[in-house]
């Protein structure tokens, strides 16, 4: 047992070492050492899934002075001199009047809710209260790499293997034997069975601190419970997240039609893979034409509109059908076409054709006719950490431990496939038609373009002395500057899962350092030396590393200001001028919305812009390639033009890293 004085010392210093969490993210091990598994589970961890949850540190409430200083630093890059001076005055006024008292109330409220973080409920509510359609505005997608065995890259075989692997993940999670998420700062020391056996002997109430002594940092897993049997239900004013763990069926969508079949038996065991395969095959072979009134399109509607339509559907006798959809383990969407162009693949997986994805489901697994697969997920319930763990586990298990094969005989009519039918009157049919028109107009207004770049990769960038993510963010800043001659509000998501109920914090990549680098690389002025360009890049990397560590430690400024603003709104008090300042609105009108998820299992990922005049920039830098997937709404923004500018930026930085000057003829 840890001695009390040692425990107190650990409590005082734990946040300092946690700063390493994002400095080397690839050390978050996914190679779990566990006891032998059986057919219904991925593995049987000797550590309970929730072993560390009770002792996770709480997200700190930042100091007001630090937050306001960082806020002004970020604002400086996007405001004119006059706008900035006015904002400084407003910040100083807030600091001298409303700010301190509001801070005290936020800290007091945080102390009253020690089971969670000060930002968790407001962040959930932010998603659930939004009345915007969730397609394009919120739901992202992540697509799987192809199965390395061409003969398994088949819609029926791959979907069956992925269904079974998904069920194994679900059962392993719910049995509390899924290996806990742990960031291993020194994998040789902690990512082994000895570490796990030692941790198992430490009580859950202090287990985090035991792992901390090994420089291993357990992560929050509270979001995982919403992965399966879950959905977002539209309600007037604020939606609801619902989970029904008792349901044993899968929802399948094809051509706008709905099907269901059980994938678990009455005792909760996974049905034989051949039975599941037969059920999928029956859906694939169903000759029903595309639904003339695909009700699924309602999930792409304005949330209040959809809430009204849902009540009408229930009044027409569709309550059981809706409950079956809502409670399904997850949704499998089978597409007949076989897109090969990456831009077409993005469209298929991000929004698809009207009514073919039930966007409210927490998790939708989509497979094309050629076996390309992706996850499209609703965002209110959780973030990329939980989805990526599921994604990686399913990808590996479906390949390493396939349960059906090209040689598998498909039983005829095994299982119990049921087609779900909606009862619609003429009014509801007309509503479907109106929603179809809106959906098609919206998705047709989206532009998509991509880049696969192989001149240099992650290992090359590291050897140059730069952080890979900082180089990618500098490429984004430089591309926008080259295209539009400006610096704008930029958002990069950073996980705060190092803390209990952590969600995300914002990294603000537009800095004084990136602005200076953009000017040196792009503007017409006396040609800078190669050394000057390299030093500018390194300065950007150093600054970005600091911002990333601060964000991961809960020491950004965005969530703190969001928490303060939300507290005022909840209490119904006067909103301070800081939050009505046009500069605050400008900083939160995100033009460059960026996100990266790194994994060898990922082929491509994407999302739409969060503002009509913005870009959605998904990117990754791996050991084999650099990838960008960019979306925009023309004519406000031009995605293909942005990709051209990103390419030029990457080329120019490569020249500098090679010791050459791209500015010289």
């Amino acid at each position: 047992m840890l001695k009390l004085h040692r425990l107190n010392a650990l409590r005082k210093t734990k946040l300092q070492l946690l700063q390493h969490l994002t400095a080397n993210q690839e050390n978050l091990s996914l190679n779990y050492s566990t006891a032998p598994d059986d057919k219904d589970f991925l593995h049987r961890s000797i550590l309970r899934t929730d072993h560390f949850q009770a002792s996770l540190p709480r997200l700190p409430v930042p100091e007001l002075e630090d937050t306001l200083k960082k806020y002004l630093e970020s604002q400086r890059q996007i405001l004119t001199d006059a706008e900035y001076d006015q904002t400084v005055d407003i910040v100083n006024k807030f600091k001298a009047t409303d700010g301190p008292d509001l801070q005290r109330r936020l800290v007091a409220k945080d102390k009253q809710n020690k089971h969670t973080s000060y930002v968790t409920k407001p962040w959930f509510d932010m998603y659930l209260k939004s009345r915007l359609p969730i397609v394009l505005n919120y739901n992202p997608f992540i697509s799987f790499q192809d199965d390395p065995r061409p003969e398994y890259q088949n819609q029926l075989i791959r979907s069956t293997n992925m269904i079974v692997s998904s069920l194994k993940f679900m059962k392993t999670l719910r049995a509390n034997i899924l290996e806990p998420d742990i960031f291993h700062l020194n994998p040789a020391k902690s990512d082994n069975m000895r570490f796990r056996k030692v941790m198992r002997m430490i009580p859950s109430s202090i287990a985090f601190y035991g792992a901390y002594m090994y420089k291993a940092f357990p992560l929050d897993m509270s979001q995982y419970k919403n992965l399966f049997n879950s959905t977002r239900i539209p309600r007037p004013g604020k939606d609801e997240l619902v989970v029904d763990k008792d349901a044993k069926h899968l929802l399948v969508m094809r051509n706008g039609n709905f099907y269901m079949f059980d994938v678990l038996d009455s005792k909760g065991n996974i049905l034989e893979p051949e039975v599941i395969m037969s059920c999928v095959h029956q859906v694939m072979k169903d000759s029903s034409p595309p639904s003339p009134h695909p009700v699924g399109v309602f999930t792409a509607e304005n949330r209040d509109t959809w809430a009204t339509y849902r009540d009408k559907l229930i009044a027409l006798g569709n309550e059981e059908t809706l409950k079956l959809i809502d409670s399904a383990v997850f949704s499998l969407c089978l597409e007949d076409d076989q897109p090969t162009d990456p831009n077409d693949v993005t469209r298929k997986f991000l929004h698809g054709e009207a009514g073919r994805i039930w966007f409210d489901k927490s998790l939708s697994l989509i497979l094309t006719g050629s076996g390309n697969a992706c996850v499209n997920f609703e965002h209110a319930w959780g973030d990329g950490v939980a989805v990526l763990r599921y994604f990686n586990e399913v990808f590996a298990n479906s390949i390493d431990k396939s349960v059906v094969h090209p040689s598998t005989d498909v039983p005829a009519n095994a299982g119990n496939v049921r087609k779900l039918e909606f009862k619609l009157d003429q009014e509801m049919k007309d509503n479907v038609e109106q929603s179809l028109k809106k959906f098609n107009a919206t998705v047709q207004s989206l532009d998509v373009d991509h880049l696969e770049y192989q001149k240099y990769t992650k290992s090359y960038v590291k050897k140059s002395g730069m952080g890979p993510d900082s180089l990618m963010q500098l490429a984004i800043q430089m591309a926008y500057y080259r295209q539009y001659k400006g610096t704008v509000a930029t958002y990069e998501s950073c996980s705060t899962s190092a803390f209990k109920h952590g969600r995300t914090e914002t990294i603000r990549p537009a800095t004084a350092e990136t602005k200076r680098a953009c000017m040196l690389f792009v503007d017409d002025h006396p040609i800078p030396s190669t050394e000057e360009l390299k030093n500018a890049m390194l300065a950007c990397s150093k600054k970005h590393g600091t911002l990333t560590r601060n964000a991961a430690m809960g020491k950004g400024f965005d969530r703190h200001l969001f928490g303060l603003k939300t507290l005022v709104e909840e209490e119904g008090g006067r909103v301070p001028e800081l939050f009505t300042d046009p500069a605050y609105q400008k900083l939160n009108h995100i033009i460059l919305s960026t996100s990266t998820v790194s994994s060898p299992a990922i082929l491509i990922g994407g999302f739409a812009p969060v503002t009509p005049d913005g870009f959605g920039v998904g990117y990754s830098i791996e050991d084999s390639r650099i990838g960008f997937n960019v979306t925009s709404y023309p004519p406000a923004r031009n995605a293909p033009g942005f990709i051209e500018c990103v390419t030029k930026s990457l080329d120019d930085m490569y020249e500098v890293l090679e010791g050459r000057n791209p500015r010289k003829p």
Side-chain angles (χ1 to χ4, degrees):
M1 182 67 66
L2 291 171
K3 293 182 179 180
L4 183 59
H5 73 273
R6 179 59 177 160
L7 179 57
N8 288 336
L10 285 170
R11 288 182 185 274
K12 291 178 181 178
T13 61
K14 64 182 184 290
L15 293 182
Q16 295 174 357
L17 283 183
L18 274 171
Q19 292 176 356
H20 296 289
L21 273 170
T22 58
N24 193 17
Q25 291 191 24
E26 58 267 31
N27 286 343
L28 177 54
S29 172
L30 292 174
N31 299 315
Y32 303 108
S33 299
T34 55
D37 59 359
D38 57 47
K39 72 182 186 68
D40 266 22
F41 300 95
L42 294 175
H43 53 242
R44 290 181 177 272
S45 171
I46 67 169
L47 282 175
R48 298 193 319 275
T49 307
D50 63 0
H51 183 64
F52 299 99
Q53 192 70 28
S55 59
L56 288 176
R58 299 186 64 235
L59 186 70
V61 179
E63 295 293 332
L64 184 62
E65 183 76 24
D66 290 343
T67 286
L68 295 178
K69 180 181 178 181
K70 292 168 183 173
Y71 172 71
L72 285 175
E73 184 180 341
S74 188
Q75 286 282 24
R76 189 69 190 93
Q77 314 315 317
I78 66 171
L79 298 179
T80 65
D81 290 344
E83 290 171 337
Y84 180 71
D85 289 343
Q86 182 178 357
T87 296
V88 169
D89 290 340
I90 291 172
V91 167
N92 288 335
K93 178 182 176 183
F94 179 77
K95 192 164 29 175
T97 55
D98 299 303
D101 182 59
L102 192 55
Q103 173 78 351
R104 281 192 294 271
R105 282 154 38 208
L106 181 64
V107 170
K109 184 175 182 180
D110 179 59
K111 289 180 178 178
Q112 294 170 1
N113 294 277
K114 293 184 177 181
H115 63 287
T116 186
S117 81
Y118 74 93
V119 78
T120 300
K121 184 180 183 300
W123 200 246
F124 271 100
D125 288 349
M126 180 271 295
Y127 279 110
L128 296 174
K129 288 181 179 179
S130 174
R131 301 296 83 193
L132 293 172
I134 60 176
V135 62
L136 299 189
N137 290 300
Y138 292 109
N139 284 36
F141 81 90
I142 310 173
S143 67
F144 293 90
Q145 292 279 3
D146 288 349
D147 193 305
R149 308 159 299 175
E151 66 274 20
Y152 284 78
Q153 186 70 15
N154 166 282
Q155 188 182 53
L156 177 59
I157 295 172
R158 198 174 197 198
S159 61
T160 303
N161 281 321
M162 285 188 160
I163 290 168
V164 174
S165 294
S166 298
L167 295 171
K168 288 180 180 179
F169 185 98
M170 180 186 74
K171 291 202 65 181
T172 308
L173 171 68
R174 290 181 175 171
N176 211 18
I177 56 174
L178 182 71
E179 188 78 11
D181 280 345
I182 302 175
F183 177 88
H184 296 280
L185 188 61
N186 184 355
K189 182 179 180 181
S190 60
D191 193 8
N192 53 55
M193 189 57 67
R194 181 180 180 277
F195 166 80
R196 290 168 172 80
K197 288 180 178 178
V198 172
M199 290 303 105
R200 184 172 58 177
M201 295 186 292
I202 300 177
S204 293
S205 59
I206 57 172
F208 171 87
Y209 304 106
Y212 180 84
M213 294 176 67
Y214 282 79
K215 295 187 177 181
F217 302 95
L219 305 181
D220 180 81
M221 297 183 70
S222 61
Q223 297 175 12
Y224 282 57
K225 64 181 180 293
N226 294 312
L227 270 168
F228 302 102
N229 297 105
S230 55
T231 197
R232 174 174 174 164
I233 294 180
R235 304 293 189 203
K238 178 185 173 182
D239 292 352
E240 178 184 6
L241 292 175
V242 174
V243 178
D244 182 354
K245 289 185 178 181
D246 295 330
K248 297 176 171 58
H249 62 279
L250 185 73
L251 170 69
V252 183
M253 297 184 69
R254 181 169 176 266
N255 291 330
N257 297 308
F258 298 85
Y259 308 83
M260 60 152 286
F261 54 84
D262 285 344
V263 288
L264 303 172
D265 65 21
S266 59
K267 296 181 179 179
N269 300 312
I270 300 174
L271 294 180
E272 290 300 317
E274 293 80 6
V275 173
I276 294 174
M277 190 179 194
S278 175
C279 292
V280 174
H281 190 249
Q282 291 172 58
V283 174
M284 290 172 59
K285 295 302 179 184
D286 182 39
S287 60
S288 298
S291 173
H293 301 99
V295 173
V297 73
F298 286 154
T299 64
E301 263 286 3
N302 169 279
R303 301 306 292 178
D304 281 338
T305 302
W306 173 206
T308 300
Y309 289 169
R310 182 183 172 94
D311 288 344
K312 291 180 179 179
L313 287 171
I314 291 173
L316 289 171
N318 296 292
E319 185 170 11
E320 181 191 359
T321 299
L322 287 168
K323 185 176 181 180
L324 288 170
I325 291 172
D326 295 337
S327 62
V329 174
F330 61 89
S331 174
L332 173 69
C333 304
L334 299 175
E335 297 290 340
D336 293 340
D337 54 353
Q338 304 178 20
T340 56
D341 180 82
N343 295 342
D344 293 336
V345 171
T346 289
R347 290 188 177 279
K348 174 63 65 178
F349 289 158
L350 182 60
H351 56 72
E353 295 180 48
R356 298 195 176 190
I357 303 172
W358 194 268
F359 291 104
D360 288 357
K361 287 298 289 180
S362 292
L363 191 67
S364 292
L365 183 62
I366 307 172
L367 279 92
T368 69
S370 55
N372 297 121
C374 91
V375 169
N376 182 299
F377 65 97
E378 196 279 319
H379 219 326
W381 66 268
D383 306 303
V385 173
V387 175
L388 184 60
R389 174 74 186 276
Y390 160 82
F391 189 96
N392 286 330
E393 295 279 13
V394 167
F395 180 74
N397 185 263
S398 64
I399 293 170
D400 297 340
K401 297 185 178 180
S402 301
V403 292
V404 297
H405 313 275
S407 60
T408 301
D409 291 328
V410 184
N413 301 320
N416 184 20
V417 179
R418 173 181 168 189
K419 188 176 181 183
L420 304 179
E421 302 282 359
F422 276 94
K423 302 169 186 176
L424 305 176
D425 61 11
Q426 189 57 49
E427 179 186 5
M428 289 307 295
K429 291 178 181 179
D430 292 342
N431 290 336
V432 170
E433 289 300 317
Q434 293 174 14
S435 295
L436 285 171
K437 290 178 182 178
K438 283 194 280 186
F439 177 90
N440 289 329
T442 299
V443 300
Q444 287 169 12
S445 69
L446 184 73
D447 200 6
V448 177
D449 206 359
H450 73 283
L451 171 66
E452 188 164 343
Y453 188 92
Q454 295 178 321
K455 188 173 287 187
Y456 54 106
T457 58
K458 179 187 285 188
S459 58
Y460 175 89
V461 174
K462 284 183 175 180
K463 290 177 183 178
S464 75
M466 286 198 71
D469 190 61
S470 68
L471 181 135
M472 298 293 279
Q473 285 291 340
L474 179 54
I476 292 168
Q477 291 297 314
M478 203 179 297
Y480 187 89
Y481 190 86
R482 192 181 300 277
Q483 190 175 16
Y484 296 104
K485 294 296 185 290
T487 300
V488 291
T490 308
Y491 179 107
E492 179 184 1
S493 179
C494 178
S495 173
T496 53
S497 59
F499 300 95
K500 184 177 292 186
H501 294 180
R503 295 278 315 235
T504 61
E505 179 56 273
T506 304
I507 301 170
R508 292 287 184 168
T511 64
E513 289 78 5
T514 61
K515 197 170 186 177
R516 179 175 182 273
C518 290
M519 294 170 66
L520 288 174
F521 273 86
V522 177
D523 285 352
D524 292 327
H525 49 61
I527 295 175
S529 67
T530 305
E531 183 180 11
E532 191 176 1
L533 292 172
K534 176 70 177 292
N535 287 339
M537 292 173 61
L538 292 174
C540 292
S541 181
K542 182 178 180 180
K543 180 65 176 182
H544 191 75
T546 299
L547 293 175
T548 302
R549 287 189 294 273
N550 283 341
M553 291 301 301
K555 293 182 178 180
F557 67 83
D558 279 87
R559 297 300 177 269
H560 186 199
L561 291 180
F562 173 78
L564 294 171
K565 180 174 181 286
T566 302
L567 183 60
V568 172
E569 293 169 345
E570 289 176 349
E571 295 177 347
R574 177 185 57 82
V575 178
E577 187 180 5
L578 176 72
F579 302 118
T580 60
D581 179 12
Y584 182 80
Q585 316 306 321
K586 186 174 185 177
L587 188 65
N588 288 286
H589 184 84
I590 304 299
I591 302 299
L592 290 170
S593 178
T594 74
S595 184
T596 182
V597 181
S598 180
S599 167
I602 294 175
L603 177 63
I604 195 172
F607 51 92
V610 297
T611 54
D613 56 343
F615 287 104
V617 185
Y619 66 93
S620 66
I621 179 167
E622 305 287 351
D623 288 332
S624 59
R625 61 173 184 148
I626 286 174
F628 280 89
N629 199 22
V630 178
T631 57
S632 68
Y633 293 108
R637 301 295 178 195
N638 179 353
F642 187 85
I643 287 292
E644 289 181 13
C645 292
V646 165
T647 305
K648 172 63 174 168
S649 299
L650 291 171
D651 285 343
D652 284 356
M653 288 191 287
Y654 176 73
E655 290 298 302
V656 172
L657 296 178
E658 286 289 298
R660 298 185 290 267
N661 194 328
R663 297 299 308 273
K664 292 183 178 180

